[in-house]
Amino acid sequence: MAEPEGIVARFRPDSADRIRDAVIGGTGRNGERLEILLHFRRDPSSEDWREAEGVYTLERGPGGEVQGLVAYLVDVSERHLAQRAADERRFLLESIFHASPDTIVVRDISGQVVLGSSPLADVIGTTDTVREDFAPDALTPDALAPDADRAVLEQLIARCV
């Protein structure tokens, strides 16, 4: 590169420091592949920071000096933005799910319990709402409902299935 500093100027200072530490600081050995999450901007005058996964391979001489560098960057901004939005939606839905006063059971296509609401955990006497804590026999109409309510519960389960 004729002007490597022009490229470094596009990286956020903490990202530029990570690249320098890996290349100049000698944290990477000869031929070792380094993967670093970096923040950059396409235009040095812009304040629009994006995210890139950088993969670097260093070629070092016998004395450890850098003789060559192979690198590629993949802009992962949209993927990370979509992941953060999905995480926020999942957190919101789980919050609503667990705040509901109703007893809710989510099963997968094979009938295994994937998730149970907090009231369900109270009904079957557990503190967690994850799959491992819901034994299949604990979620049968016999275990969940008194005799008087069992027929209604069985009809509700049949309708849901």
Side-chain angles (χ1 to χ4, degrees):
M1 291 180 273
E3 295 181 41
E5 288 303 316
I7 293 174
V8 172
R10 293 174 183 253
F11 291 106
R12 205 166 65 187
D14 62 324
S15 292
D17 291 345
R18 274 186 272 170
I19 295 169
R20 282 188 189 102
D21 289 347
V23 176
I24 298 168
T27 58
R29 293 185 303 274
N30 188 40
E32 180 181 7
R33 178 180 160 144
L34 304 169
E35 296 182 29
I36 307 171
L37 181 64
L38 304 166
H39 293 90
F40 75 101
R41 52 191 173 191
R42 290 183 174 157
D43 177 0
S45 63
S46 169
E47 289 302 318
D48 179 30
W49 293 102
R50 303 182 59 81
E51 293 176 309
E53 290 177 355
V55 179
Y56 295 84
T57 303
L58 302 171
E59 297 299 325
R60 295 192 180 274
E65 71 282 356
V66 176
Q67 291 184 330
L69 171 70
V70 177
Y72 68 90
L73 300 172
V74 178
D75 186 340
V76 293
S77 302
E78 279 77 23
R79 182 177 71 190
H80 286 188
L81 185 63
Q83 183 62 51
R84 283 191 289 275
D87 290 345
E88 288 173 11
R89 284 190 303 273
R90 185 177 66 245
F91 176 75
L92 176 64
L93 289 174
E94 286 179 0
S95 297
I96 293 168
F97 180 82
H98 289 299
S100 171
D102 296 324
T103 299
I104 304 168
V105 177
V106 178
R107 296 177 185 249
D108 64 16
I109 194 145
S110 68
Q112 292 294 318
V113 175
V114 175
L115 188 63
S117 65
S118 298
L120 174 65
D122 294 340
V123 167
I124 66 172
T126 185
T127 56
D128 293 320
T129 55
V130 294
R131 175 188 324 218
E132 294 82 18
D133 295 319
F134 295 115
D137 58 341
L139 296 174
T140 63
D142 291 339
L144 292 173
D147 291 338
D149 297 331
R150 197 165 296 133
V152 173
L153 182 58
E154 286 175 349
Q155 289 173 352
L156 178 63
I157 291 171
R159 278 196 351 238
C160 290
V161 169

